[in-house]
Amino acid sequence: MALRVDDVSKIDASKDTWTIVVKVIQLWLTPSYSGSKLPSSLEMVLMDSKGFKIHATIRRTLVYRFQNQISEGRVYQMSFFGVCENGGDFRTTCHPYKINFQMHSIVRVMANTSISGKPFSFMALSDVVFKEPDTSFLIGILTGSSGEQEFEKHGKVQKRITLEIDQDGVRVEAAFFGKYVDEIVR
């Protein structure tokens, strides 16, 4: 009997028995701002084989349980998680819901499965300039790039690209290294 896998695009808060196969395209620890040495959460952006993305959170009390099971760039089967509305500022995906891991959530590596596609979604410049974009999403206008560069560090050749992003007149340069250069240049 084949496993029933749900589309990320269909996820809503109607149940907690979803089973998805997704690639972790971004993974980061959110630091605690209360002075604790423990992270506040482990955050992820997940993408399915059709390119649909959803944000997932593992709260502080469960980071220890899942942190060593999940790596950026790998494909997993995930099931038995909570789903809530994706609200607030600084949302990473357009999905109306987000995933919250629970103690009984299950994560399994899918060793012989690959998911390809573009991990980033950029708004058209005309939409940013001529429409009022929803600023609760992480948006900015890419205004410059150094292009892919190589440099030597500790005897190894590494890649780097620097991007200039403008958000409401504030310009920020962000440097990306190694595998992240490949993600951007693709």
Side-chain angles (χ1 to χ4, degrees):
M1 183 170 132
L3 173 69
R4 182 183 176 320
V5 176
D6 298 297
D7 289 342
V8 166
S9 66
K10 306 277 192 257
I11 291 178
D12 61 27
S14 66
K15 63 180 185 174
D16 61 1
T17 56
W18 299 98
T19 297
I20 56 176
V21 174
V22 289
K23 181 177 184 178
V24 177
I25 59 172
Q26 294 290 303
L27 177 73
W28 68 97
L29 284 169
T30 302
S32 171
Y33 296 104
S34 65
S36 171
K37 292 184 181 187
L38 296 174
S40 177
S41 63
L42 181 62
E43 306 290 331
M44 294 173 275
V45 177
L46 309 174
M47 182 175 72
D48 71 10
S49 62
K50 295 178 182 172
F52 293 106
K53 299 175 189 95
I54 192 166
H55 188 98
T57 298
I58 301 172
R59 66 181 183 271
R60 171 185 304 187
T61 57
L62 295 176
V63 168
Y64 77 93
R65 186 177 182 304
F66 294 102
Q67 183 175 9
N68 294 326
Q69 291 183 39
I70 301 171
S71 302
E72 189 171 292
R74 299 211 53 197
V75 177
Y76 299 92
Q77 175 188 312
M78 298 179 177
S79 52
F80 301 109
F81 43 80
V83 178
C84 67
E85 286 189 30
N86 185 16
D89 291 335
F90 310 114
R91 292 180 281 160
T92 59
T93 70
C94 296
H95 201 293
Y97 294 94
K98 67 180 181 177
I99 292 172
N100 290 309
F101 276 65
Q102 301 172 349
M103 183 58 85
H104 64 276
S105 296
I106 297 172
V107 176
R108 290 191 180 105
V109 175
M110 301 295 286
N112 297 322
T113 304
S114 69
I115 293 178
S116 60
K118 297 186 179 204
F120 302 108
S121 301
F122 296 103
M123 293 179 78
L125 181 59
S126 60
D127 288 346
V128 175
V129 173
F130 299 114
K131 297 179 181 176
E132 282 195 42
D134 182 350
T135 57
S136 60
F137 291 98
L138 299 174
I139 65 165
I141 299 173
L142 181 63
T143 55
S145 168
S146 65
E148 187 175 334
Q149 301 171 330
E150 291 185 347
F151 68 99
E152 188 174 324
K153 184 175 181 180
H154 304 298
K156 285 184 156 180
V157 175
Q158 299 203 9
K159 294 185 215 177
R160 174 182 63 210
I161 190 169
T162 303
L163 303 178
E164 181 182 83
I165 301 167
D166 186 303
Q167 174 65 38
D168 295 330
V170 177
R171 289 198 174 161
V172 176
E173 285 190 354
F176 297 88
F177 300 89
K179 67 178 183 176
Y180 299 107
V181 173
D182 297 331
E183 294 288 333
I184 292 168
V185 173
R186 277 197 262 181

